[in-house]
Amino acid sequence: MNHPILGAWSERKGISFRLDDQEYEAFEGETIAAALLAQGIRTLRYHEDTGTPRGFYCNIGHCFECRVTVDGIDGQRACLTPLKNGMDIRTGRTLPSPLKKGAHLP
């Protein structure tokens, strides 16, 4: 297939990654956000104070709502981080609140 702006559509390499101990398939080079949205996954963490679900908001790296843990490194933005084969991604279910004691978390 040939796109008028993007050019020829090449074969994309399939890869696998893990999210919270479940394996998923995606395409090499797409962002974590793109892969998760394609799988229907919308919630990535919970608000540190209210416990409300958080996910993709701006999808361009400005808001930090899509923070996940990637291969043990906290606070990675899913919208900016390209997937690599075998990545271990964790949603933010137990983020502590640095500002308030007794923050509600699910």
Side-chain angles (χ1 to χ4, degrees), residues 31-34 37 55-64 66 78-80:
T31 64
I32 293 170
L37 285 169
F56 311 100
Y57 183 68
C58 75
N59 217 15
I60 58 172
H62 286 283
C63 71
F64 292 85
C66 65
C79 69
L80 296 179

Side-chain angles (χ1 to χ4, degrees), residues 45-54 65 92 95 103-106:
R45 65 183 190 87
Y46 293 88
H47 190 273
E48 293 85 351
D49 186 29
T50 64
T52 56
R54 302 313 234 196
E65 290 295 327
L95 290 175
H104 169 72
L105 294 174

Side-chain angles (χ1 to χ4, degrees), residues 10-76:
S10 61
E11 289 293 320
R12 298 188 299 169
K13 180 181 174 187
I15 60 171
S16 64
F17 68 98
R18 296 186 69 72
L19 175 71
D20 295 334
D21 296 321
Q22 186 171 347
E23 191 156 328
Y24 292 93
E25 299 291 321
F27 292 107
E28 185 176 56
E30 66 185 349
T31 64
I32 293 170
L36 297 180
L37 285 169
Q39 295 290 335
I41 297 166
R42 304 288 185 264
T43 300
L44 300 181
R45 65 183 190 87
Y46 293 88
H47 190 273
E48 293 85 351
D49 186 29
T50 64
T52 56
R54 302 313 234 196
F56 311 100
Y57 183 68
C58 75
N59 217 15
I60 58 172
H62 286 283
C63 71
F64 292 85
E65 290 295 327
C66 65
R67 290 174 287 160
V68 291
T69 300
V70 178
D71 293 332
I73 302 171
D74 293 327
Q76 302 299 299

